[in-house]
Amino acid sequence: MKLSGAEIFIECLKAENVDTIFGYPGGAVLFLYDELYKAENRGEIRHILARHEQGAVHAAEGYAKTSDKPGVCIVTSGPGATNAVTGIADAYMDSVPLVVISGNVPKDLIGKDSFQEIDIVGITRPCVKHNFLVTCIEDIAPVMKKAFHIASTGRPGPVLVDIPKDLTNPAVKKIEFKYPKDLVMRSYQPTIKGNKKQIKSAIKMIGQAKKPVLYAGGGVITSKAADELTELGRLYNFPVTNTLMGLGCYPSNDPQFIGMLGMHGTVEANRAMYHTDLIICVGARFDDRVTGDLKKFSPDAKVIHIDIDPASISKNRHAHNPIVGDVKEVLQSMLAEIKEQNIVPDKSAYDEWWKEIKAWQALDCLSYEQGDEIIKAQYVVDMLCKVTNGDAFVASDVGQHQMFAAQYYRFNKPKRWVNSGGLGTMGFGLPAAMGVQFANHDETVACITGDGSIQMCIQELGCCKQYGLPLNIINLNNGYLGMVRQWQEFFYEERYAMTYNQSLPDFVKLAEAYGHIGKRITKPSEVEDALREAVEDKKNLHFLDFVVEEQGNVYPMIPAGYGHNEMYLNKQDAIDDANSKK
């Protein structure tokens, strides 16, 4: 049977086992939407109507991050495509597998400044893993096959497929459909298995180390290697630290876990990284929020770096032993080699190393005092962790609330923590939480956000109502753009330029206007009950507006250009540092 381009598109999605697609219709994709309508009525593919293209892409990210499938979304040409760019860039920075389909003007009108024409292939080239402009109907199926393969293999990422409208028009052309079974891409062959010689060398380095640290990032979660990482950590009694993106890949309740490292990491994690003699980096990339000043970062350490992306190795920190390969495959090979060789670490040296670390842990750098009057943001996250037994899916926006979520919600499983790490996208949290809920229907999903971030994509409350999503929105409302205000306090002599939100909406009424349950919480004594009531209601979205401490700060904090041994643990540290420079 001969099929139109739009029908071929649907058959490609079915061949890739796509059951959910997020999007927003427009003129250039109407033939595709016409076939989506039919496919949805046949019970084959569910389309989720976002309220903005950025929201559609973030929802696809949340779906991809918490399922075993790439996220898929569809947008129209021109502003539809450009609205999606922020989400695409976010997925690129955080290695999220996405296939984004954009419509374009008819092929003959490309390059003629046609209505709603934009060179989205050119625009997205710096922030996609790959992109395609389909030029003939015969290429739709092979391009779609390549797009899904590229997006979800190697280091995952977003792939854009731009399809001119006339190629989907059934009146223009139909062809016989055949979806490719085999795929050969000579220029794209990710390395999966690690080099045996380098693995043996890494094990030798581990055996010689006196102060090792196991440093794990989001690549562990992407590779589904949490079990192997945990086995390696426990086998050698390594202190284990996670990046922001890696939280949950090693159980936070394990005594060997020393917390998140980096700008707002724990004292014990950051000082351990400063004093270590061996970094075993697994699925992380030494980004600037982890390292601070690279010249001051782990000055005496050798580095074993395991990553599937060769471009990430030695990009920021020289790797003495680079191992390119899939994290799960490499760790499995390392564990087998360790057991075969019976490599035994220096126990007395490790004991001394742990004594140092436990002394830093005794500082209890994440402690805080919750009084009877003003709600601390930390307390809200603590209570959320308590009432959900640490088992919820937690999506966050970007800012102080994001750091509080990372510090105080204790993640013991991978894929439970969903946030925007590399790009730091305000507005990510709500639509991402939607995608998480679609991928995990019966699970508890919370969105931790702030009064600034939530307004970036707040229109997605309409999508939540349409599809009956029982999200728990935790709005930590301090009346400021909190993280920016914190930097202004420390480094701009408390000139709070444009960071005080003087005209905030009534979030309760706003939630109710969308048909949801809204509640304002102003007293610490109300926090736990409000959270418990929301979490236990599996039918309705609850928007909880917590009025928290206005000028609370996130500690510890490593200022830009400082080393891991130069943290602020409280406001007095910041004052003393400022005075020392006068």
Side-chain angles (χ1 to χ4, degrees), residues 23-94:
Y24 203 95
V29 287
L30 282 184
F31 290 119
L32 298 178
Y33 264 87
D34 195 42
E35 292 303 324
L36 272 172
Y37 176 83
K38 298 172 188 176
E40 190 162 42
N41 284 342
R42 293 192 300 263
E44 296 172 344
I45 299 173
R46 173 179 56 173
H47 177 274
I48 305 302
L49 177 64
R51 296 312 190 259
H52 190 282
E53 290 86 356
Q54 180 181 342
V57 184
H58 290 327
E61 286 187 89
Y63 185 93
K65 287 186 176 191
T66 57
S67 70
D68 294 326
K69 296 181 176 183
V72 184
C73 53
I74 179 170
V75 298
T76 194
S77 62
T82 57
N83 282 347
V85 171
T86 296
I88 293 169
D90 188 275
Y92 179 71
M93 292 288 284
D94 287 350

Side-chain angles (χ1 to χ4, degrees), residues 16 130 132 139-153 159 179-190:
E16 293 291 341
H130 196 68
F132 297 91
D139 283 349
I140 293 176
V143 163
M144 291 292 286
K145 178 78 172 180
K146 290 177 182 178
F148 278 92
H149 177 69
I150 293 170
S152 52
T153 57
V159 175
Y179 199 62
K181 290 184 179 180
D182 300 316
L183 187 63
V184 177
M185 299 180 67
R186 293 181 181 178
S187 61
Y188 178 69
Q189 298 290 335

Side-chain angles (χ1 to χ4, degrees), residues 33 155 169 221 249 389 426 460 470 489 491 494 540 577:
Y33 264 87
R155 179 181 178 179
N169 185 347
I221 296 173
C249 75
N389 298 313
M426 292 174 69
E460 298 304 339
E489 177 183 340
F491 311 118
E494 300 186 6
N540 298 293
D577 184 46

Side-chain angles (χ1 to χ4, degrees), residues 566-580:
E566 301 172 304
M567 288 170 282
Y568 293 169
L569 302 186
N570 49 53
K571 187 170 183 175
Q572 189 59 49
D573 286 348
I575 294 171
D576 292 344
D577 184 46
N579 289 336
S580 70

